[in-house]
Amino acid sequence: MVVCAGTMGTVMADTIAATLVVPLLDTDFTGPHVRQTQLQWVVSAFAVALAAGLTTGGRLADLLGRRRLLAIGLATFSAAATMAVLAPTLPILLIARAVQGLGAAAMVPASLALLIGEIAPEHRSRAIGVWSAAGGLSGVLMHTAGGWLGGAAGWHVLLVPSAAGAAVLLVATAWIPDRGPGQRGKVPDLAGAMLFGIGVTAILAALANGPVWGWRSPGCAALVGVGCTLLSVTLWRSSRHPNPAIEISLWRAPLFTLAGAVSGLYGMISIPLLAIGPRYLNQMWSYSPAMVGLAMAPLSAGVWIASLIAGRLSKRPTGPRPVIYGGAVTIAGSAVLLIATAIGSPSPLPQVWLPAAATLGLGFGAVNTGASVACALSSPPDAYGAAVGANMTTRQLGGALGMATAALLIDQRASDDGPIAGYITVIGMCIGAAILVGYLSLLMRTVRPSRSGVRTADGPAPTAPHRMQPQLSQDPLMALYMAVTEFVETATALAHPTPSRTSQQSHQSAHEWRGRALRATADNLIRRPGPAEVVDVLGANIP
């Protein structure tokens, strides 16, 4: 359990470290030919590689064995992090970050699969909770200490914990029992995953270089054409391959598409704000890197706390919709406060940034957890692992796209009106995305119960008279009314937790059926604990 939880913590700490590295690269790599759109690839290269390799990495563990894949991922991650620490030029640093993403794509599903396969059933829930909490705790610690480390020794030292931590965990895997290869299935679509990653990279490269080359230039047009062609080929292959790189069958469900869109928008909001936060703090208050890191810690703490609370609220009969809506409102309100501060005279940091960062983190945690739950609820029980895996992939792609767009906006506005104007534009973009998240959540509502059972390893489960199926709302205004009403009812229930006898019976019946469904899913995972079915069960800890 220590190795698996440490793996999750290492990946999360590395993600936070990358956002702290970008503003410190000015001292080494920024020059007349280096732009913010190039520096953002330190974050985007990792995100694209992780998104492209996640599904394939989980399925490879079925062929190679979970411990073996974890060891391969840790070795790759540690070697690439060492390469990044020693990188003399920006291109080498970006290559190292992409290789780290591939290593993480093997580490995350393999670590969770090992946890489920090696821990006794009665201790499994607690073990997964520790695995999940390790990611949130490492993010808080990296924000707290990372600024001081970067300011004292430079950006290179921020990536040392990733290299050292992965190396220690690699040695520790020798004490994990070797169960050998898992299920002998068909080889996953490695070519499709490669085409997917290259296609996304080409489109992001066109977005980054468009202002310099010209949006109508042959180079920009070629990148867009190559990217669209490769993505089209990936979709074509995924529709025919038995183990595709993209689970197209899930995306045919309208509600899953809606929940996936929320996840992608969350990535577009969270990753850019995490990345520009240190620069924004430096420009507004001229604080040292150590103070900047401490100022970012409340945001990570807010995400951690809100994820725990939102997970419980999403289990209520109202589902995840009020959680997503409330998180979107919180994000938008916090971002408006930041813009108002930037436009006016700078106020003391404790009075403005710290409250805004804490509430922003709460909104992040609510939207991320709610979107993950919505993706799971809108998919068949036997496709739960694939659903949350697709959710994580969409989130990473949204983060990469949002980061590229944010860097483009900062470069363009900074050249005209100064750096603060660029940050205000990015924050405004995030407000617009948060409003869209809130609107999409209003289109989700809980309707009449479904009478279908859940198939278990021993056959169909008993009829589920109180299973509530989320569907698309036909009237957005009615959805708005229902969402606000349910949000108020949820808050009232939390303040006065004594329900009526009728609501007690209804909630107890729904809770009993939900328990049977969860036990059925757990039974399937115990009988067939392949990483392809448990990828990112608790991926809310990765931004």
Side-chain angles (χ1 to χ4, degrees):
M1 184 171 69
V2 174
V3 175
C4 297
T7 298
M8 188 63 189
T10 300
V11 173
M12 181 61 184
D14 181 82
T15 303
I16 297 299
T19 63
L20 297 176
V21 162
V22 173
L24 298 177
L25 291 176
D26 292 344
T27 58
D28 286 359
F29 298 140
T30 296
H33 302 293
V34 179
R35 308 179 311 279
Q36 182 67 28
T37 49
Q38 293 173 303
L39 297 180
Q40 60 88 18
W41 280 100
V42 174
V43 177
S44 298
F46 180 91
V48 171
L50 176 60
L54 180 67
T55 302
T56 302
R59 286 173 173 146
L60 278 177
D62 288 335
L63 299 175
L64 302 178
R66 290 164 289 179
R67 193 192 78 165
R68 183 178 300 176
L69 182 69
L70 177 60
I72 293 174
L74 287 169
T76 303
F77 190 87
S78 179
T82 303
M83 179 181 174
V85 171
L86 303 175
T89 61
L90 183 60
I92 294 179
L93 175 61
L94 299 183
I95 293 174
R97 290 293 298 163
V99 177
Q100 275 190 275
L102 293 177
M107 292 160 54
V108 172
S111 65
L112 182 56
L114 273 172
L115 200 65
I116 291 179
E118 299 297 333
I119 300 297
E122 60 270 19
H123 301 299
R124 194 164 289 157
S125 297
R126 181 180 179 184
I128 292 178
V130 173
W131 182 85
S132 176
L137 181 60
S138 64
V140 176
L141 293 177
M142 178 54 72
H143 264 148
T144 303
W148 178 80
L149 290 174
W155 65 267
H156 300 80
V157 74
L158 289 173
L159 300 177
V160 170
S162 300
V168 171
L169 293 172
L170 176 61
V171 174
T173 57
W175 281 269
I176 298 177
D178 188 6
R179 307 300 184 189
Q183 301 176 14
R184 291 292 182 178
K186 296 182 179 180
V187 177
D189 188 9
L190 299 177
M194 184 180 300
L195 293 175
F196 179 71
I198 297 175
V200 173
T201 302
I203 293 177
L204 294 179
L207 185 62
N209 293 287
V212 178
W213 297 350
W215 294 108
R216 299 182 180 180
S217 64
C220 188
L223 285 175
V224 173
V226 169
C228 293
T229 300
L230 293 180
L231 291 179
S232 299
V233 173
T234 303
L235 292 175
W236 178 81
R237 289 179 60 89
S238 297
S239 64
R240 290 163 173 77
H241 201 281
N243 291 315
I246 301 176
E247 294 285 353
I248 295 181
S249 59
L250 292 174
W251 294 97
R252 291 192 177 102
L255 186 60
F256 184 87
T257 302
L258 188 65
V262 171
S263 295
L265 289 170
Y266 166 75
M268 292 185 65
I269 299 170
S270 60
I271 296 298
L273 289 182
L274 283 170
I276 72 169
R279 283 179 169 270
Y280 178 82
L281 289 169
N282 184 265
Q283 292 288 339
M284 287 293 297
W285 289 282
S286 300
Y287 280 111
S288 64
M291 285 297 298
V292 167
L294 289 174
M296 293 292 294
L299 196 153
S300 293
V303 173
W304 188 20
I305 294 172
S307 297
L308 300 176
I309 299 175
R312 296 191 176 188
L313 290 178
S314 297
K315 296 178 182 178
R316 297 175 64 87
T318 53
R321 181 184 57 180
V323 175
I324 298 174
Y325 182 78
V329 172
T330 303
I331 292 173
S334 302
V336 168
L337 177 60
L338 292 178
I339 288 183
T341 304
I343 294 177
S345 58
S347 302
L349 182 141
Q351 298 180 12
V352 178
W353 171 262
L354 296 184
T359 55
L360 196 62
L362 293 175
F364 283 174
V367 171
N368 192 19
T369 304
S372 299
V373 173
C375 282
L377 292 179
S378 58
S379 61
D382 58 351
Y384 173 73
V388 291
N391 172 63
M392 183 179 179
T393 299
T394 305
R395 186 167 65 240
Q396 294 296 319
L397 290 178
L401 179 59
M403 192 64 197
T405 305
L408 177 64
L409 294 174
I410 290 176
D411 273 348
Q412 287 188 332
R413 292 301 304 272
S415 61
D416 300 332
D417 306 313
I420 297 299
Y423 300 138
I424 292 176
T425 305
V426 172
I427 297 174
M429 176 194 74
C430 293
I431 292 175
I435 293 174
L436 183 55
V437 167
Y439 176 76
L440 292 178
S441 70
L442 298 180
L443 300 180
M444 302 167 60
R445 66 189 180 95
T446 305
V447 295
R448 60 185 179 276
S450 170
R451 299 287 177 177
S452 60
V454 179
R455 181 172 297 277
T456 66
D458 300 324
T463 301
H466 291 280
R467 182 183 183 186
M468 306 303 290
Q469 294 284 355
Q471 294 185 4
L472 298 182
S473 174
Q474 301 298 323
D475 187 352
L477 293 180
M478 181 59 69
L480 173 62
Y481 170 77
M482 294 180 64
V484 174
T485 301
E486 290 180 3
F487 190 76
V488 172
E489 289 177 353
T490 301
T492 304
L494 290 176
H496 305 284
T498 304
S500 64
R501 182 176 182 85
T502 302
S503 61
Q504 280 182 338
Q505 294 174 349
S506 176
H507 179 70
Q508 180 180 3
S509 181
H511 179 74
E512 290 175 353
W513 181 88
R514 191 181 300 112
R516 289 197 299 269
L518 290 176
R519 286 193 297 272
T521 304
D523 184 61
N524 284 331
L525 292 178
I526 294 171
R527 293 170 179 265
R528 187 177 183 269
E533 297 195 4
V534 293
V535 172
D536 189 34
V537 170
L538 294 172
N541 291 293
I542 299 181

